[in-house]
Amino acid sequence: MMQKQCDMNDVPAIELHNAAMSYGGRTLFRDVGITLAQGSFHFLTGPSGAGKTTLMKLCYGALRPTEGRVSVFGEDTGHMSRDEIARMRRNVGVVHQDCQFVDHLSVSENVLLPVKVSGAVAEDLDANLSELMGWVGLTNLADHRPAELSGGERQRAALARAVILSPDVILADEPTGNVDWEMSLKILNLLIELNRLGKTVLCATHDMSLIRQAKTRVSARVLRLRGTSIELAGAEL
Amino acid sequence: MMQKQCDMNDVPAIELHNAAMSYGGRTLFRDVGITLAQGSFHFLTGPSGAGKTTLMKLCYGALRPTEGRVSVFGEDTGHMSRDEIARMRRNVGVVHQDCQFVDHLSVSENVLLPVKVSGAVAEDLDANLSELMGWVGLTNLADHRPAELSGGERQRAALARAVILSPDVILADEPTGNVDWEMSLKILNLLIELNRLGKTVLCATHDMSLIRQAKTRVSARVLRLRGTSIELAGAEL
Amino acid sequence: MNKLLDLLRGDTEADRVVPPTGFTVLLTLASSAAMAFLAVFVLALALSAGRQASAWEDALSDTATVRISAPADELEAQANAVETILAQTPGVGATHRLTADEQAQLLAPWFGEELPLDTLRLPILIEVSLDGEGPDPQGLRQRFAAEAPGAVFDDHGRWRAPMIDAASGLKTISLIALLLIVAVTGVTIALAASAALAANGQVIDVLRLVGAEDSYITRAFVRRFTLRTLIGAIGGTVVGLIAVALIPNVSLDGAVSDVGLRGFEWLLPFLVPVGAAMLAFGATRFAATRRLAEVS
Amino acid sequence: MNKLLDLLRGDTEADRVVPPTGFTVLLTLASSAAMAFLAVFVLALALSAGRQASAWEDALSDTATVRISAPADELEAQANAVETILAQTPGVGATHRLTADEQAQLLAPWFGEELPLDTLRLPILIEVSLDGEGPDPQGLRQRFAAEAPGAVFDDHGRWRAPMIDAASGLKTISLIALLLIVAVTGVTIALAASAALAANGQVIDVLRLVGAEDSYITRAFVRRFTLRTLIGAIGGTVVGLIAVALIPNVSLDGAVSDVGLRGFEWLLPFLVPVGAAMLAFGATRFAATRRLAEVS
Ligand SMILES: Nc1ncnc2c1ncn2[C@@H]1O[C@H](COP(=O)(O)OP(=O)(O)OP(=O)(O)O)[C@@H](O)[C@H]1O
Ligand SMILES: Nc1ncnc2c1ncn2[C@@H]1O[C@H](COP(=O)(O)OP(=O)(O)OP(=O)(O)O)[C@@H](O)[C@H]1O
Ligand SMILES: [Mg+2]
Ligand SMILES: [Mg+2]
C-alpha cells in the first residue's frame, strides 16, 4: 500500500547516533545510540518525565536532536524537508500520548485522516476500516465525536488511526495507559500481530506486567531511560 | 480552610439514589445506589467505556443523572443553582482524566486556580504550594507551561490542583494512568494520607495491582461497573 | 454604567486567566481602532455637511426680492401697498427699498457702471429678508395680484432649491454612513468577542471545573474585552482626529474645505470610544453568558 | 489568479477538515459582508460626487461673458475687435453676441419685461463658451485693455470657485473614505482569518501528525476562508446595491439626489467581492504559513 522509502532489509528502520536532547538548559539524555532493526519489537520504559515521549518525537521528526542524528530508514530526519517529513510519517504510525483528534470530525473520519491526507486510493478501504474499528472495539462509536469517547476509547481510536495506512513502523506512546488489563492484552496482541507481519514496533509503557506478558510471546527488547542515558533492560523483568 | 456545607458526620459525602445514566439512547447504568460515607475510601473500576468517568461527573455536578438523584453532603445536585455547584466544587477536588489546564498560565498558576476563583485568602499559601509541588515532584517545573509537561507530570499537576484547597472529597479519575509504578505508589500514598485526614476518596482506576496494594494499607472498598449495574467487588481481588 | 466603572477598577487576579495575547486580541484592538477611526472621520463629515447646509441655506434663502413695474403714477402707491402687505406677512423680516445707486450696482455686471439710470423708467426693487422658512409665496402672490398687480415676488427659489438640496443631501448621506459604521462596528466587535471566547473555550471549562462562579468568569472576559476595545477605540479616535485636523491643509480649499470640527464639536468624537466600550461590554457579556450555558 | 480558480473547483475531502461552523465563520462572513456593503455604498457616493463635480463644473464653467461698454461710435468696432481676439484665444469655443431680446430677457428678473431697451444705450454682451479650462483670464484682459479698452471679461469665476470646490471636495472625501474602507476590510479579514486559524491550531497539529503536507493544509484553509469571504462579500455587495438603488426614492431630491450608479458604473461594485476574495486568499495563506512554521 505504501511505497517504502528504502526496501533494503539491512537498513535499520530507526537509528539514533549519539543523540542528545535538552529543553532549554535541561538535558534529558545524551550520547544515545540505538538501532531498531526492521521487523524488531522494542519496549521503551523509564520513569515519568524521563523523556520517552521526547524520544518518540525524535523518531517521527517532530523534534530534532540537539546533538547527534536520527535516521528513519537510513534517511537523516535533520536533512529532510517538511514535505519529506510529512511523507515519512505516512510510513510511521504514531499513537500519540495525548491522542490528538480533529474535534469536529467523527471518530471514523479521524481514523481515516491519514488516508485522506496521503491521497492514497485504497480499494477495500471501507472493509479495512470496519475490520479495524471492530478490532479496537469502536464499531458502535464510529459516528461519535472524539469528545464523546471515554479515555480508553480515545486511545484505541488513536491506535486505529496509527495503523490504518499499514505503516512499516509503529510508535506507540503508552497505548495502554487508560485501558483495563483485558484491553491492554488485546492491544498488545495487535502490536504483536503487526510485528509478525514484519512491522517495526516501538512501544513506550510503564506497565511492567505488559512487558512481561509480551516477552512470553515475542522476542522484544526493553530500552530503559535512566538518568541521561539509555540502557538495555535485561533479565530483571 | 474550607467551610463545610454540612458538618453532620452521618450525612454521606456522596450518595446516588437509583441513578441511571444514558447518552442518547444508550444506557450506561441504571438503578445505581451507592453511598460514600464521609471519610471512606473507594475504588471505582470496570472496563474501558463502562462509565467510570461519567459516574464521577455525576458526583461533581458536571452531569445530571437521567433518572434518580445524586447528593453531595446531603444536597441534591439536581436542585443546586450554578453558583451552588461552583461552590460545591471547591469542596470536591477532581483529578480529571484529561487533565485540563489553562494553557497560557504556568503550572503553579494552574495549581493555584481553585484558590483564585474561590477568593479564599490563605495565609501560608506559598508554603503550602511549594510543599505540594515538592510532593508531586514538580518543583522544578513550577514555572513551565502545561504543554511542556510529560503525560505523567500533567497528571501529577492535576492532582496537586485537586487538593490545593484541601477539599473534603477527592475524586480521582485514573490518577496513575500515565505514571510508573513507583509514582503510582506515591500518588496512592497521598490519597491514603488524605483519607487518614478524614477526606472522602473515590479513585477510578484500571490498575488491579494498585487496588491490591491499597487494600493492604487502608480499608478501601471497590465498586465495579459491570453491564448496566454497579457491584461491590470482593475477595477476588 | 456603574458596572462599567467597576470593571475599569478591576481584579487583576481574574484578569490573568484570559490570554493576554494572540490574534483575537489583535483583532479586537484593530477592529475597534479601525471602526473608531472611520466613525470619527464620518462624524466630522456629517457635522461639516450639516454646517455647510445651514450656511448655504442662510446665504441663499434669507432674502427675496419684490419687483414693482407699473405706470409711473401708480408705482409709488403700489410699492407702499407692497410694503404694507409684507409687514403683515408672517415669515417676512425687514424690508428695504433699493436706492438708485444700489440698483446701478446690481446691474453693473451686465451693463457696466455707466448705465444712465436717471433716464430710465426702472422698476422699484424691494429687498426682503426672510425669517425661518419665509412667507408662503403662493399666498403672497395672490395678495399682490389683488392690491399691487405690478408687484412680482421672487424668492430666488429657482436658484436656491438645488443648493440647499445638495447640502442637506450630503448631510443625510453622511448620517446614513455614520449609522452604517456604528452598525458594522457593533457586529464586528460582537463577533470578535464571540470568536475570542470560542477560542478560549478551554479556559472557561477549566475555570468551571475548579469551582469558578459564572460571574467570576464573565467578569474576567468582559473586563479584558471592554478594556481592549476601549484602548483600540481611543487609539482609532485619536488618529481619526489627527486625520480630520490635517484635512484642510492637505487637499481642499474653498467651500467644503470647511470639513473638520469646530469648537465644542471636538468633544463629540470622544463619545466614539465610550460607545465602543459599551458595545463591547454588552457583546462580551452576551457571548460569555451563552458560552457558559454550554458548560455545567 | 489561476490558484484562485483552482480553489473554487476545490477538494471537498480537504474541505471537511476545516470546521464548517462557529463564530470564526460567522465573523468572516459578517465582516466581509459588512465591509462590502460599506464599500459599495461609498463607491456609489464617490462616483456620484465625481459626476456631480463635473456636472457643476460643466454647468458653471463653460460660459463666460464679455461686456463692452463704450461710446456709441466705438462700440461696434470694439465688439468686433473682441470677437477677433476671442477667435484667436485658445480655450475659447463659440462666441455669440446677445441680441436685444436676449438682453431684455436677462434683465427681466430685475426690471420686468417692459424695459425700454431701445431707448437705452446698453453695452454689448458676448457670450463665450469655453473649452476645457478656458482661456487665461489675465492674458485676455491685457489684450482687451490694448485693443478694446471698453471690454470686460467676466468668467463667472467668483461664482464658480466655491461650487466646484464643494463638488470636488466631496469627491476627494469619498475617495479617502473608500480607501479607508478598503484598508479596514483588509485588516479585518486578515485578522479574522488569523484568529480562525489560531482557533483551529489543533486541526493543523493533528494533520501534520498524520502526515499531511503543508500545501494540503494551506489549501484546505485558504479555500474555506476565500470562499467564505467571497460569499460574505457577494451578500454585502448585493445588499449594498439594493440600498444604493433605493436611496433616491427614500430621502433626497434635487441636485445630490443623483447619488447612485449610472450605466456601466453598476458593474464596478462587483469588483468588491473579487477584491475581498483576493485579500482573503492572501491573508489566509500568510496566516496559515505562519502557523505551520510553529509545527514540525
Ligand atoms: N516543550 C518542552 N519544553 C520544555 N520542557 C519539556 C518540553 N517537553 C517536555 N519537556 C520536559 O521534558 C521531560 C521529558 O518529557 P517527556 O514527555 O518526554 O517524558 P516522558 O518520559 O514521556 O514522561 P511520561 O511517562 O510522564 O509521559 C519532562 O520533564 C518535561 O517536563
Ligand atoms: N458526551 C457523550 N456523548 C455520548 N456518549 C458519551 C459521551 N460521553 C461518554 N460517552 C460514552 O459513554 C461511555 C462511558 O464513557 P466514560 O468516559 O464514562 O467511560 P470510562 O468508564 O471512564 O472509560 P475509560 O476507562 O476508557 O476512561 C463511553 O462508551 C462513551 O463513548
Ligand atoms: Mg510521555
Ligand atoms: Mg474514563
Side-chain angles (χ1 to χ4, degrees), chain A residues 60-63 82-83 85-87 89-90 94 96 100-106 109-110 113-114 116-117 161, chain D residues 13-20 202-203 205-216 292-296:
Chain A
Y60 62 89
L63 288 175
R82 289 178 63 85
D83 282 355
I85 295 241
R87 283 190 292 271
R89 284 183 190 164
R90 299 177 196 161
V94 180
H96 204 270
Q100 298 182 333
F101 295 104
V102 177
D103 289 333
H104 67 277
L105 297 182
S106 72
E109 282 174 316
N110 266 288
L113 265 189
K116 277 194 188 170
V117 304
R161 187 179 64 190
Chain D
E13 283 297 300
D15 245 24
R16 278 279 293 153
V17 304
V18 182
Q202 162 93 339
V203 176
D205 292 346
V206 174
L207 288 177
R208 272 302 291 181
L209 185 70
V210 300
E213 287 164 15
D214 287 352
S215 55
Y216 178 94
L292 275 166
E294 292 170 16
V295 201
S296 58

